[in-house]
Amino acid sequence: MNRLLIATNNKGKVKELQDLLKNTGIQIVTPTQINLILEVEEDGKNYAENAGKKAIAFAKASGLISLADDSGLEVDALENAPGLYSARYFPKPGATDADRRAFLLQNLKDKPRPWKAHFHATIAIAQPGGEVEFAEGNCFGEIIPTERGNDGFGYDPIFLFPELNNTMAELGMEHKNRLSHRALAVMNAMPVLERLFGV
Ligand code: ITT
């Protein structure tokens, strides 16, 4: 059977995508499992351009259908920053997720609360020949000034679902994978995967 390559170097995304795709009947492989080391420059002007570029690069390098995710956190009070630049949102190179969370809170501290925000994910599914298809998902909440929870990655400890009174990092992966932007994008991508893999 054809295998699907998860085209990301982000360990948090790998775990979530493996879990989201586990009952689909599609065999999932990671770049590590096939010894593929590939860094793709994210110079697109939107999520779809970046996701498409990553998926096509991994599909061409591996010969496998590849699924990439380009995602970001958009904060209303910051005119949707960090958005497309969420992974690089810090003035100096070599920053950690914790540095980026602290920098975001620093930039928000004089803005009135609630700090409404949403996560966005665009998924691209590319074939080795370069054909690419897309799906999207969003999830809405707010940024809080103090970190809560140890699960997840990135901005999860400061992203609250007000109706649950839990941050994304307090939910645990199983629960996050029922309502996250990435979960919705994967759900929206299922018709493409079903067609490509015949599942
Ligand atoms: P790949 O390009 O290899 O997939 P990346 O981390 O560089 O990994 P992106 O360019 O799509 O991926 O950056 C997305 C960033 O947005 C990510 O590094 C986090 O900072 C943030 N982010 C996206 N989804 C998130 C989530 O579910 N929880 C917390 N932060 C998230």
Side-chain angles (χ1 to χ4, degrees):
M1 199 217 337
N2 246 339
R3 296 174 296 166
L4 173 67
L5 176 65
I6 298 181
T8 175
N9 297 314
N10 179 317
K11 292 191 177 71
K13 287 188 192 177
V14 169
K15 271 200 222 154
E16 290 181 13
L17 289 166
Q18 278 178 316
D19 184 67
L20 285 165
L21 294 161
K22 71 180 176 209
N23 292 325
T24 55
I26 300 168
Q27 193 186 334
I28 308 302
V29 290
T30 66
T32 314
Q33 286 166 345
I34 60 165
N35 295 318
L36 177 60
I37 298 170
L38 191 59
E39 279 293 340
V40 181
E41 197 193 348
E42 297 188 33
D43 54 5
K45 58 182 181 309
N46 53 48
Y47 296 101
E49 282 189 13
N50 284 339
K53 194 175 173 196
K54 290 188 270 190
I56 290 168
F58 276 81
K60 290 201 162 158
S62 66
L64 298 172
I65 297 174
S66 299
L67 182 153
D69 160 305
D70 202 61
S71 43
L73 172 69
E74 309 205 333
V75 182
D76 291 12
L78 300 176
E79 285 86 37
N80 286 343
L84 205 57
Y85 305 98
S86 294
R88 293 159 277 168
Y89 188 58
F90 196 77
K92 293 189 196 134
T96 63
D97 279 348
D99 293 331
R100 285 183 277 275
R101 293 194 295 269
F103 185 59
L104 181 76
L105 292 177
Q106 176 67 24
N107 292 339
L108 274 172
K109 73 177 182 344
D110 296 327
K111 313 274 185 194
R113 289 182 68 191
W115 296 326
K116 286 186 184 300
H118 66 278
F119 276 116
H120 173 85
T122 295
I123 278 179
I125 297 163
Q127 301 181 52
E131 308 87 335
V132 59
E133 294 172 81
F134 299 92
E136 295 185 329
N138 292 295
C139 82
F140 294 81
E142 70 179 69
I143 303 301
I144 52 166
T146 311
E147 301 199 355
R148 283 167 43 183
N150 299 307
D151 284 329
F153 67 97
Y155 299 92
D156 284 347
I158 54 170
F159 186 90
L160 182 80
F161 289 106
E163 60 280 11
L164 300 176
N165 192 22
N166 278 139
T167 66
M168 202 89 124
E170 289 176 317
L171 289 183
M173 187 169 67
E174 200 186 309
H175 197 169
K176 177 177 175 182
N177 271 354
R178 270 183 265 136
L179 41 77
S180 79
H181 50 310
R182 185 162 301 105
L184 294 171
V186 168
M187 197 179 81
N188 291 331
M190 277 319 295
V192 177
L193 292 172
E194 284 164 6
R195 175 165 40 77
L196 292 175
F197 288 91
V199 291

